Amino acid sequence: ISPDLNGKLIWDKFQWITFAVEAFAIPIFAVQYTQYKIPHAKIVWGIVALLPVAATVLVIAAPWLPIIYPNPKLTQTFIFGELTYDFTWFAYLFAAYGYITTALAFLALAQRIVRPARLYRAQITTIIIGLLIPVFGTALPFFGIQLTLLRDASPFTTAIGNMIVALGLYRYRLFDVKPIARETLFEKTPDLVIILDAQDRIVDMNHAALGEFGLTPEQVIGKPFSSFFFYEWEEFRKPIEGNKEIFIKRNEEYFHFDVRTTLLHDSRGQYQGRIFVARDITPYAVLQWQLKELNEDLERRVQARTEELAEAYDTTLEGWARA
């Protein structure tokens, strides 16, 4: 709604800087979310940041270096004046860069759709759709396609995409649910793995733990830990690191678990949560109980035999004394 050319240019510069931030931030988000390990990460991210930094510098220096705005003009449309300018080689280069990095980020996210639990699939799908809509909106001007009376529809597509991304972030609790290497260790281990945040809410549980307690991810993720395991896990209410053994009663049977608690801290040493790894040692415990019973029975037998021998010895001495 800015009425003059300078006002239009100011807001368009903000939009360019936003695109530069998105082109760099979306790949970082995808890598951190999927826990993908990049070799020589600092060098790679430095190369990825070159074009966004160059775009930001050229936007700021536009009055002296007309590389981005070679021929800006204000065209009167139906209601508002519209800023139009010729796309230079840098605009096409930066657009290609942004679409390539975004496509790679979407590919990394898409690979996670078919693997994690259903809760994560819905979360990732929603986020991808929300990020694709602004990308689609920015591509239209390069092909001369207008969905509205204005050439640049990205403010509208960005607003719609942001609402969808917000749905993915908060509806599916991205900040409470943080996928880790589920396929390699977390889901395949027979041990029960339970992850809590700093507020003792359940962040994640593997299939073994969910099956042990007969629960689903939707029932436990984001819920207080004590609401599900108050009695058996009473001694774990305080975040203390170490090993403890607990008994869980199920179907009139007792199961013996060795629980290892590990506290999690960030780079500044602040407490972030804890991980429980519980191993079912019931067979070993049963063997120990049986061995203990055998030892006790052996001690009783030895004691009884000792008493018999002592009594026989006393009887022999008494017979000798009479003789």
Side-chain angles (χ1 to χ4, degrees), residues 261-289:
T261 308
T262 303
L263 303 183
L264 304 177
H265 300 85
D266 60 15
S267 58
R268 295 174 293 178
Q270 295 182 351
Y271 174 68
Q272 296 295 308
R274 44 185 169 152
I275 298 178
F276 294 110
V277 179
R279 174 161 296 180
D280 187 359
I281 58 173
T282 303
Y284 306 102
V286 171
L287 289 176
Q288 289 181 347
W289 294 334

Side-chain angles (χ1 to χ4, degrees), residues 97-217:
Y97 159 86
Y99 297 143
I100 291 174
T101 56
T102 304
L104 293 175
F106 289 162
L107 180 62
L109 290 172
Q111 289 179 346
R112 308 270 319 174
I113 293 178
V114 296
R115 296 180 182 177
R118 179 164 54 90
L119 181 68
Y120 304 114
R121 290 199 297 268
Q123 180 188 91
I124 297 173
T125 303
T126 305
I127 292 173
I128 289 178
I129 293 174
L131 294 176
L132 273 174
I133 292 177
V135 172
F136 176 74
T138 59
L140 295 179
F142 288 101
F143 298 98
I145 301 174
Q146 292 186 215
L147 295 180
T148 63
L149 297 175
L150 302 177
R151 180 182 70 166
D152 186 9
S154 58
F156 303 102
T157 56
T158 301
I160 296 173
N162 284 347
M163 289 188 288
I164 296 177
V165 170
L167 174 65
L169 296 179
Y170 296 101
R171 170 62 178 84
Y172 297 104
R173 301 187 298 277
L174 172 68
F175 302 109
D176 294 336
V177 183
K178 301 175 182 177
I180 59 176
R182 310 179 66 88
E183 295 78 24
T184 57
L185 175 64
F186 187 76
E187 291 297 355
K188 292 183 179 180
T189 178
D191 298 337
L192 315 184
V193 182
I194 305 172
I195 304 176
L196 306 183
D197 63 8
Q199 288 75 40
D200 278 347
R201 296 174 301 179
I202 298 176
V203 172
D204 214 345
M205 293 177 64
N206 67 344
H207 284 318
L210 293 171
E212 175 68 28
F213 299 106
L215 300 169
T216 63

Side-chain angles (χ1 to χ4, degrees), residues 6-28:
N6 289 331
K8 292 288 188 182
L9 285 172
I10 289 175
W11 291 111
D12 197 76
K13 289 178 181 179
F14 278 113
Q15 188 167 303
W16 264 92
I17 294 175
T18 301
F19 292 156
V21 172
E22 287 181 349
F24 185 62
I26 291 177
I28 291 179

